[in-house]
Amino acid sequence: MIALTFAEVARATSGELRPAAGAGPDTVVSGAVDTDSRLIEPGGIFVAKPGETTDGHEFVDAAVQRGATLAIVERPVAAAVSQVVVADVVTALADLAREVVARVRAHGNLFVVGITGSNGKTTTKNMLARILEGEGETIAPRASFNNEVGAPLTMLRVTHDTRYLVSEFGASGPGEIARLAGLVDPDVGVVLMVGMAHAGGFGGVEATLRAKSELIHAVRPGGIAVLNADDPRVVTMAQIAAQRHEAVRWFGRGPTADVRAEEVEVDADGTTCTVIVDGERLPLRLQVLGEHHVMNALAAITAATALGVAPDVAIARLETLELAERWRMQPLGSARVRIINDAYNASPDSMAAALRTLAQIAAPGERTVAVLGAMSELGEFSGDEHDRIGLLAVRLNIRRIVVVGPEARRLFISVISEGSWDGEAVFFATADEAYDYLMSELRDGDRVLVKSSNAAGLRHLGDRLGESFS
C-alpha cells in the first residue's frame, strides 16, 4: 500500500484513531493490508473482520506479533497496537481502497480494468495480467479475490509505481458489482458472458444481466467497454456504453467482432487458433486446456490492445501461460491416467464446457470418465440445470459418469433416465467412497474430469487422484 499517516487512514475510513504509546496521528503506515492475521507482514494493517464462525478481533494480538502497526476494528481491543475504530470494517476497507486508488490515479499513471461475467473471470484476469505485466507493474487478484473483501484488498496493493490494476468483480446479488466497481471507476470494463451462474441469488438470468451491466455503468466516461459479441445479452450493454460516451471493442467467434478467432482446434495439450485483430491474422497456441478458454483469451487480448499493447506482443505473452489457476482445468496424473481437476467452481455453462473438452481431447482407445458434483447457487433452476448436464454427459458418450454427493443426486437420476444404466453411471454419497471406486476402476488410457462447485469439495478428490496416478 502507499504510505499514509494514521490520521489519513482514520479520515478515509470515517474512524476514530486511538494511537498506541509512541505513535500519533502523523505516524506513517505503508505495509500490506489483510483480514487474515497469518498473512500480516511487518508494518502492515490488520482489518479485524467479524465472520460467521470466527471474529477477527480475537486475532489482533496475533497480527501484532507478526508485525502489524495498525488495526482497523469495530470495537477497541486490549492490544498494544494503534487502532482505528469504525462502524463497519468491511465498509472501512472499501473506503480505504477508494482513497488509495484515487491518490495513485491522481499521478496519472494508473489504468484500471474491471472484469465480470458469469464464467471465466479468473482465467481472463490471469491472462490479462500475464500480458500487462510486461508493460509495467501490474496488480491482479490472488485466486478469486472478487467479493466485498477480496476486491478492496487487491486494490490496496497498488503503489505509485503501479501501472495497471486488474480487478475481478463477482456478485451473488444485485448492487454488489456497482459498489465494487464504483470504488475505482474502471478505464476498461470487460463483460465475458451472462449465464446461469449464481442465478438463484439474482432471481434469474435477466436479473443477472442487470447486475453484470453495473460494470459498464461504472466505467468512467470516455473509457472502453470490452463486450462479448456472441452473447445477445451482453450485446445490449452497448447501449449503456453509448449513453456514457464509452467506446466499445467487441470480441467473439463471429465475423462482427473486432477481435475474433477462427480455425480453432483442441487437443490434449491445449488449443490452437487464428486470432484476427482488426483484420490482422495471428496464430495463437494456448497451453490452457479447453476450447472455452479461447473466448477468455480473446477478451484479454481485446482489453490489452485497447490499452495500447501490440496484438503480436499480447499473443506472445499469452502463450507463456501454462495454467489458468489451480483447480481450473488443471492437468494432473501421468501418461497412464490423466486427470483434469476443474472443481474450483461450476455453473451450467462451465460444466458443459468442461464435459465437451473431455470428449474432444480423448484419443481413439482412451476412455472418458466424468466425476461430477453439484452446481451451487442455482436456486429454483437447480433441478432443470442438473438434468441438462446429465443429458449432455450421456449425449457426449462419456463412458463412465461418477456422481458424488447428495446435492448432485438429481444429475445421477437424469443420467440414468437418459440411458446410462449398465454400470456406466454410479453414485456415491461421499468423495472418499468415490475415490475408492475410482482407484479400483480406472485403467491405463483413461482421461478423467473432476468437476463441481467449490462447496462440493471435489477439488480435493481431484488432487488425491492426481497424486495417486502421478
Side-chain angles (χ1 to χ4, degrees), residues 52-84:
E52 294 181 3
T53 57
T54 60
D55 186 343
H57 293 78
E58 298 175 3
F59 298 93
V60 174
D61 276 327
V64 173
Q65 292 173 12
R66 294 191 63 86
T69 57
L70 183 66
I72 299 177
V73 298
E74 292 180 0
R75 60 180 186 274
V77 297
V81 66
S82 297
Q83 300 169 40
V84 173

Side-chain angles (χ1 to χ4, degrees), residues 8 52 91 98 100 116 155 168 171 180 185 208 222 283 292 319 331 346 409 431 453:
E8 288 172 327
E52 294 181 3
T91 300
R98 180 190 291 109
V100 166
T116 194
M155 297 168 189
E168 177 184 339
L180 295 175
D185 298 335
T208 303
H292 52 294
E319 289 182 327
R409 182 176 282 277
S453 284

Side-chain angles (χ1 to χ4, degrees), residues 58-208:
E58 298 175 3
F59 298 93
V60 174
D61 276 327
V64 173
Q65 292 173 12
R66 294 191 63 86
T69 57
L70 183 66
I72 299 177
V73 298
E74 292 180 0
R75 60 180 186 274
V77 297
V81 66
S82 297
Q83 300 169 40
V84 173
V85 184
V86 299
D88 183 285
V89 296
V90 174
T91 300
L93 185 65
D95 290 339
L96 185 59
R98 180 190 291 109
E99 176 71 13
V100 166
V101 172
R103 287 181 179 231
V104 174
R105 206 170 204 164
H107 286 73
N109 297 321
L110 178 66
F111 294 91
V112 180
V113 181
I115 300 173
T116 194
S118 298
N119 296 299
K121 294 184 294 296
T122 299
T123 299
T124 304
K125 170 261 297 184
N126 287 336
M127 288 179 166
L128 182 57
R130 175 60 58 91
I131 296 170
L132 294 179
E133 63 190 12
E135 301 294 307
E137 181 179 294
T138 300
I139 299 297
R142 301 190 298 265
S144 292
F145 270 37
N146 61 21
N147 62 11
E148 62 181 359
V149 173
L153 286 177
T154 299
M155 297 168 189
L156 285 165
R157 289 166 50 206
V158 302
T159 70
H160 289 300
D161 294 325
T162 304
R163 182 146 185 216
Y164 301 104
L165 168 63
V166 181
S167 289
E168 177 184 339
F169 298 128
S172 56
E176 292 183 31
I177 292 174
R179 286 192 295 273
L180 295 175
L183 300 177
V184 291
D185 298 335
D187 299 282
V188 177
V190 182
V191 182
L192 300 170
M193 66 173 297
V194 175
M196 291 298 295
H198 310 297
F202 287 109
V205 71
E206 293 305 317
T208 303

Side-chain angles (χ1 to χ4, degrees), residues 378-408:
L378 293 175
E380 63 182 288
F381 309 100
S382 179
D384 289 343
E385 293 302 322
H386 281 88
D387 286 346
R388 186 168 70 87
I389 293 302
L391 172 61
L392 178 64
V394 173
R395 290 186 174 176
L396 288 173
N397 199 30
I398 305 301
R399 303 310 301 165
R400 286 287 184 273
I401 302 171
V402 181
V403 182
V404 185
E407 295 81 4

